[in-house]
Amino acid sequence: MGATRQAESTGWSGAADAGLATGAVARRLGVAPTTLRSWERRYGIGPARREQGRHRRWSPEDVGRVEEMCRLTGLGVPPAEAARLALTEAAATVPRSRPASDPGTLSLGTVRQECRGLARAAVRLDAPAVESQLRTALGAYGLTTGWEEVMAPALHAIGRKWASCGERYVEVEHLLSWHVSSALRRVPDVGARVVPPRRSAPAPAAPVLLTCVPGEQHTLALEALTAVLGERGLPTRMFGAALPAEALYEAVRRIGPSAVVLWAHSRNTADRALVHLVTETEWGVRGARARPAVLVAGPGWATGAGAYAPGVGRLTGLRTAADRIEALFAG
């Protein structure tokens, strides 16, 4: 495919287009601006003209060439060779399909452009671009929408790809997961729109305890919920992956939490006996003992929450989960 057809796939149209700045091209393709400048300096693949002799302006053909280079490097072609092929329009000689063990590109469906950029950057193992895409998404949409419409769909698509391709893409999943986790923990520092605590729901004296059940290693969704609750001014205690049952029992007794959220990604780790244990855990002086509200979350809890223990609630979706926990204290 030549550079002109590549340009059409990015949504460019017509020679009258004034061109894009480097930052806009980086966001469109999921490449860090520093990567684009490095490719221009090292391999001569960049904008053909500058506005007023200073600012880079990318034409449709320029974008088509760098998009082709992104595709080729994603296939494992060394950057210097990928640039040569893109510049000489000889990329048609390189197979456009992946090996038989890899049945195609990521299946993302209808998602935001930022999600596509994030997924492409992760597949290329371009850590600076992944970082840039996460900052852009959180800055534009905030934490809740950024998670639900950018980060989570990209993670799910890469997870499906890994499951269908054996051991391929596991490095992609690990890199993206690490950067997403890092972004969730520093939300106030990435330019995201921080939601002030809601005055109708004063922060409770006791925190919300969040943990994965024993044997459960998937923590990202729970990390996202922890970050959203923090945005809303609700104190939390996050214990992460696979907290043993005995340790959970002791933590509940020592902290005296207002609520306990138990995350299970798999049915194999969703333990009904553990839920019952937490609901029966008490603290405080005799005659004034208290118990936490218990909430289960994650796809592992496949049946109705009431089947696990009386009064247990089930959380679904990040936004509704945060709303429900906040409502416990507003009421």
Side-chain angles (χ1 to χ4, degrees), residues 21-328:
T22 298
V25 175
R27 289 189 296 272
R28 184 182 292 266
L29 299 181
V31 180
T34 53
T35 299
L36 291 180
R37 296 186 184 102
S38 175
W39 286 355
E40 180 184 10
R41 183 175 65 255
R42 295 182 180 182
Y43 311 119
I45 186 165
R49 66 185 180 89
R50 295 171 182 263
E51 187 179 65
Q52 298 178 347
R54 295 186 298 109
H55 301 295
R56 297 174 175 84
R57 307 301 298 182
W58 294 73
S59 70
E61 292 76 16
D62 297 332
V63 174
R65 282 189 289 269
V66 77
E67 185 179 38
E68 182 67 1
M69 181 166 177
C70 289
R71 184 188 72 82
L72 292 169
T73 55
L75 289 172
V77 178
E81 179 66 7
R84 187 188 68 80
L85 292 172
L87 288 169
T88 59
E89 297 190 8
T93 62
V94 178
R96 298 198 64 82
S97 60
R98 290 181 180 268
S101 60
D102 189 348
T105 57
L106 290 175
S107 177
L108 288 165
T110 302
V111 295
R112 292 185 182 273
Q113 183 63 35
E114 290 85 355
C115 178
R116 296 189 183 279
L118 178 62
R120 284 196 295 261
V123 169
R124 294 195 307 274
L125 302 181
D126 188 342
V130 170
E131 189 81 8
S132 175
Q133 290 291 319
L134 288 170
R135 288 179 180 273
T136 297
L138 289 171
Y141 304 118
L143 176 56
T144 305
T145 300
W147 168 262
E148 292 181 334
E149 300 186 20
V150 179
M151 291 181 274
L155 286 162
H156 291 161
I158 290 172
R160 291 192 299 268
K161 191 70 171 178
W162 170 57
S164 66
C165 297
E167 291 302 312
R168 291 180 59 84
Y169 284 90
V170 67
E171 74 283 3
V172 177
E173 184 181 43
H174 279 227
L175 180 130
L176 180 57
S177 296
W178 188 87
H179 280 281
V180 167
S181 178
S182 299
L184 291 173
R185 297 186 193 190
R186 62 168 185 268
V187 166
D189 300 325
V190 297
R193 297 176 307 206
V194 178
V195 180
R198 301 185 184 184
R199 300 192 181 279
S200 60
V208 180
L209 189 156
L210 304 99
T211 185
C212 292
V213 298
E216 182 57 69
Q217 299 293 332
H218 294 80
T219 66
L220 285 179
L222 203 59
E223 291 178 44
L225 178 57
T226 302
V228 171
L229 294 177
E231 273 193 334
R232 298 187 181 194
L234 301 177
T236 61
R237 297 293 184 274
M238 169 63 162
F239 286 86
L243 185 67
E246 297 82 359
L248 173 59
Y249 174 75
E250 289 299 326
V252 173
R253 290 189 61 208
R254 292 175 60 188
I255 294 173
S258 299
V260 176
V261 179
L262 301 173
W263 176 270
H265 190 78
S266 166
R267 293 190 185 185
N268 295 330
T269 60
D271 187 345
R272 183 173 307 188
L274 179 67
V275 177
H276 182 75
L277 171 67
V278 177
T279 60
E280 295 296 317
T281 304
E282 295 181 331
W283 62 88
V285 298
R286 183 175 300 178
R289 293 191 179 278
R291 295 180 182 179
V294 180
L295 304 163
V296 297
W301 309 101
T303 59
Y308 299 101
V312 174
R314 187 181 181 198
L315 303 177
T316 57
L318 177 61
R319 192 183 306 272
T320 56
D323 288 345
R324 184 165 182 179
I325 293 172
E326 189 175 30
L328 291 175

